[in-house]
Amino acid sequence: MQTLHVDVDTWLHRLSPRIKLLALTAFGVLLFLTQSIALLACANLVGAALYLRSGLPVGEALKRLRPILISIAVLAVFAALVGPLHAAIVTALRLTALALFAATVTATTSMAAFIDEITVLAMPLEKLGLLKAADIGLAIGLVIRFVPEILDRYRAIREAHQARGIKVRLATTIAPLIILTLRDADNIAAAIDARGIRRQ
């Protein structure tokens, strides 16, 4: 299974995962508190600079963000059609900056460190009897780990359509993508239960 983590040694990689997660949370809150296009544009520049310092080649860095950037662009166009242009621009800049910061965190934090940190942060909720911290850490880690796998599945389905001369449409790709993803999820759940991880 692939990972979004980039195994290089940079100052971003050496930062504590807790600092990065708390900073991401703070940046996310601040991004949604401002309506200034200038501030949001600056946030995008900072996010892009940090992301490009994660050790990824520029081409690979852009490739990773392509799906989310396309989604943001579609959302921005729709927002511009139904509402004020200023609001559409703010939405696009806000989501793009958040995506850049989040991508930086996932690229510079190993999955083991990420799961451990989420588990520690969830411990207060476990003490209140609301959930099991280890299960939350494992679940979030698996979701992040599955992102590149789902993208690869989609590319494989799209290439299979093109090889057969079938036009690539959402209606013809979403069903096999869901089926393959659920099959992988069942296999991973069976492996987790076989190792007794959720019973520890």
Side-chain angles (χ1 to χ4, degrees):
M1 186 176 283
Q2 300 180 39
T3 177
L4 295 174
H5 176 247
V6 183
D7 191 14
V8 296
D9 185 21
T10 68
W11 67 272
L12 285 169
H13 288 74
R14 292 190 292 271
L15 276 180
S16 165
R18 182 171 304 180
I19 292 176
K20 287 186 279 192
L21 288 173
L22 292 175
L24 177 62
T25 302
F27 279 130
V29 172
L30 292 175
L31 287 173
F32 281 88
L33 289 178
T34 181
Q35 298 284 332
S36 171
I37 292 179
L39 286 177
L40 291 172
C42 290
N44 275 269
L45 292 176
V46 172
L50 291 174
Y51 183 49
L52 294 176
R53 294 287 296 172
S54 65
L56 279 170
V58 176
E60 177 64 22
L62 294 176
K63 183 179 177 182
R64 285 189 176 197
L65 284 180
R66 187 186 304 160
I68 186 64
L69 293 180
I70 292 174
S71 301
I72 292 172
V74 172
L75 178 62
V77 170
F78 178 77
L81 292 174
V82 301
L85 180 60
H86 180 273
I89 295 174
V90 166
T91 299
L93 291 175
R94 184 181 287 155
L95 294 178
T96 303
L98 190 57
L100 288 167
F101 287 126
T104 302
V105 172
T106 55
T108 59
T109 308
S110 69
M111 192 54 58
F114 193 85
I115 291 175
D116 290 344
E117 204 58 49
I118 292 294
T119 301
V120 171
L121 292 175
M123 284 303 295
L125 297 177
E126 181 173 324
K127 291 179 180 179
L128 294 175
L130 299 176
L131 48 80
K132 289 187 177 180
D135 287 351
I136 294 299
L138 179 61
I140 294 177
L142 287 174
V143 168
I144 295 173
R145 193 72 180 262
F146 250 99
V147 171
E149 292 294 316
I150 294 173
L151 293 177
D152 281 346
R153 293 288 189 192
Y154 173 75
R155 293 189 192 102
I157 293 170
R158 184 181 61 191
E159 290 170 2
H161 277 60
Q162 292 171 345
R164 291 169 174 79
I166 303 172
K167 187 175 181 180
V168 180
R169 295 177 179 173
L170 182 62
T172 59
T173 57
I174 192 67
L177 180 62
I178 291 174
I179 292 171
L180 290 173
T181 302
L182 290 177
R183 186 186 66 183
D184 287 344
D186 284 339
N187 291 336
I188 291 175
I192 290 172
D193 288 337
R195 289 165 177 78
I197 293 176
R198 289 190 287 189
R199 292 191 293 271
Q200 292 178 2

